Amino acid sequence: MWAAFPDVAWWPMTIVSVALLHLVLRRDHAGWNFLVGLVAGLTFFLPHVYWAYEATALVPWLALATLAAFGFATFGMAWTWARRLPWVRDRAWVRVLAFATVWTAVEQWRSEVPFGGFPWGRLAWSVAGAPTGRAAWLGGTPLVSFVLAATGVLLALLVARVAAAWRDPVLRRRHLGAAAACAVVGAVALFGPLALPLPHAGGLKAVASPPVTATVDPGDRSQLVDAGTATAQAGVLQAGAVQGNVSRPGDQSFEHRAEVLNNHLEGTLAVAQDNDARAARGDTAPGVDVVLWPENGSDLDPQTNPDVSAALDAAAARVGAPILVGSQEFPKTGGRYNVLLLWQAGEGVISRYAKQHPAPFGEYIPMRSFVRLFTDQVDRITTDMIAATNPPIIELPVPRLGRTVRLGTAICFEVAYDEILRDSVRRGAEVLVVPTNNASFGVTPESTQQLQMTQLQAIANGRAAVQVSTVGVSGVVAPDGTLVARTGLFTADHLAAALPLRTTWTPAVALGYWPGWVLSASGGLLALAGLAVGIARRRQTV
């Protein structure tokens, strides 16, 4: 399963891993399968979230991986119970659906609890660039994970039938027929989403995914990257994105504030120079409508720091567009907010979004005194981040279009929480923006894991998306999930893109929470019903 995710990114390994998990959980013992699931979860999550070690230390990394691995352990136990139901045990096609339902239910549970959940490592994220990922348009992340889990069981059944045919010449034809049926249904599940009517613009070419330290050059930086403008329903937004970088890869804190701010100011100047180059060529609309900065692009609050305010005024005036600045606010009542500030030259902040879902133990410390007993890393977070309640929307005035455009926003880890970006689209967002700060994670796949999430969210919501990072990886995604441009890691870079503005809802947006609710409830009911059957059977035996 680890190999299915970046930076190996062999997505078919998702199917293989689920098939193997189905095989090793065949024993009818809930406690044993809990332990097997825990071992499987640790084997996956320890390398998958190794970036937590890079950002902190040994104990926090082990704690995060172990907490996430308990999701696999819970699944092992719940599946043991669900499988005891006679119609699950005796019918292969019901077993496929039941396994996938329980798996997706447990994914939903661990994405919500404890402390708001941790959705990292969901099966769906691994196939953002594969045909199966297109199913997110229909039912969001839960449907994609369901399809992958079901296909993994079909692969296990296929192998079992082929093995049975080899051993049993008398029933060989029957076994091979069943194996063929598994193959056909699995192929339809994996590649059938290609038939879904996603907003697609002909001629788009996905960029390659080289090692994280390399830079992908989408061409002349003065050219606007086409993010599927043929799919636009309400015009096209021209956006610049600045990846300022830091000079000290792997810093354990974001201490070099003036340096980071200056790097992003310089990147904004580069965007302005690209505007000039397009104007010199005679382009019809050479400028950009907004410049996107990453999370913490300025850790110094421009609302309280006159020097930063003046520098932003000058940069916004030079580029001829407002700048979406990632910063921090420290209210007098205590705590801090992680904010995106839309800064207009001469006016200051004209729109604002504060992070709704701070990362527990990363941006605030629950049970601080208790956790300090295990690691002093908690003391690195001196001021806990506050969860905001504002809608995930930035109101961007675009004089070129003669109206205000709503940007859907999710800051850093918020991209993993489906409801935030879905809520933005339901509130009228026409394009998605994901500012993030990956400076603490060193040369790890954390940022490319995040970029996969941005791709899948673009599909689920039917919107073009831009992920912009302090140090990379930044990228531009078309509404069908095609990654059309990306930067390297720990490089100073910038992009400019023509983003289609879209207004229609995908089925996933229209369904909202329902796919997750239905699968969560169904998985829980299957497990509880199987538990009840097992208890009744033991009582009859006694």
Side-chain angles (χ1 to χ4, degrees), residues 276-298:
D276 296 341
R278 288 191 292 271
R281 289 198 302 263
D283 288 8
T284 304
V288 294
D289 304 307
V290 64
V291 176
L292 307 173
W293 282 17
E295 175 189 26
N296 303 129
S298 174

Side-chain angles (χ1 to χ4, degrees), residues 62-209:
L62 293 176
L64 178 63
T66 302
L67 186 62
F70 271 106
F72 281 50
T74 301
F75 169 76
M77 182 170 59
W79 171 238
T80 306
W81 294 336
R83 192 177 51 207
R84 290 172 181 167
L85 293 168
W87 38 278
V88 175
R89 182 187 62 237
D90 300 334
R91 294 173 174 84
W93 66 270
V94 176
R95 192 155 64 250
V96 171
L97 297 176
F99 183 100
T101 299
V102 176
W103 176 272
T104 311
V106 175
E107 272 199 353
Q108 286 293 114
W109 301 340
R110 74 171 178 84
S111 297
E112 297 174 14
V113 292
F115 309 116
F118 184 64
W120 232 261
R122 298 181 76 166
L123 295 184
W125 305 134
S126 69
V127 293
T132 320
R134 294 166 61 90
W137 176 88
L138 189 60
T141 307
L143 178 61
V144 179
S145 284
F146 179 90
V147 170
L148 291 168
T151 309
V153 181
L154 286 169
L155 175 61
L157 295 177
L158 184 155
V159 173
R161 287 290 191 166
V162 170
W166 182 266
R167 293 191 305 265
D168 188 354
V170 176
L171 296 177
R172 180 167 295 168
R173 181 173 296 181
R174 179 179 175 182
H175 288 310
L176 290 178
C182 290
V184 170
V185 174
V188 170
L190 288 178
F191 299 101
L194 287 171
L196 294 173
L198 272 66
H200 177 68
L204 290 185
K205 185 177 180 182
V207 297
S209 296

Side-chain angles (χ1 to χ4, degrees), residues 265-280:
L265 290 169
E266 291 176 8
T268 305
L269 175 60
V271 173
Q273 291 169 341
D274 288 346
N275 292 348
D276 296 341
R278 288 191 292 271

Side-chain angles (χ1 to χ4, degrees), residues 204 218 220-229 235-242 271 274-275 278 285-292 396 398 400-401 407 431-433 464-468 474-479 482-487 494-501:
L204 290 185
D220 180 0
R221 280 295 193 267
S222 68
Q223 298 284 350
L224 291 171
V225 175
D226 185 351
T229 53
V236 173
L237 183 74
Q238 298 184 174
V242 177
V271 173
D274 288 346
N275 292 348
R278 288 191 292 271
V288 294
D289 304 307
V290 64
V291 176
L292 307 173
L396 171 67
V398 184
R400 184 177 57 83
L401 298 177
L407 311 180
V431 70
L432 307 178
V433 179
V466 179
Q467 175 173 305
V468 55
S474 304
V476 178
V477 183
T482 302
L483 181 64
V484 295
R486 58 158 278 177
T487 66
H494 67 281
L495 296 166
L499 307 170
L501 298 174

Side-chain angles (χ1 to χ4, degrees), residues 418-494:
D418 299 336
E419 63 274 12
I420 293 177
L421 288 174
R422 184 173 62 232
D423 179 43
S424 76
V425 172
R426 293 173 76 98
R427 291 174 181 270
E430 300 172 64
V431 70
L432 307 178
V433 179
V434 183
T436 179
N437 175 16
N438 311 106
S440 298
F441 300 116
V443 185
T444 70
E446 189 273 345
S447 59
T448 44
Q449 292 170 6
Q450 224 171 9
L451 188 56
Q452 279 196 319
M453 298 177 192
T454 299
Q455 287 180 261
L456 204 73
Q457 296 291 14
I459 297 171
N461 293 284
R463 300 291 186 267
V466 179
Q467 175 173 305
V468 55
S469 170
T470 47
V471 300
V473 171
S474 304
V476 178
V477 183
D480 66 353
T482 302
L483 181 64
V484 295
R486 58 158 278 177
T487 66
L489 189 57
F490 287 104
T491 59
D493 213 336
H494 67 281

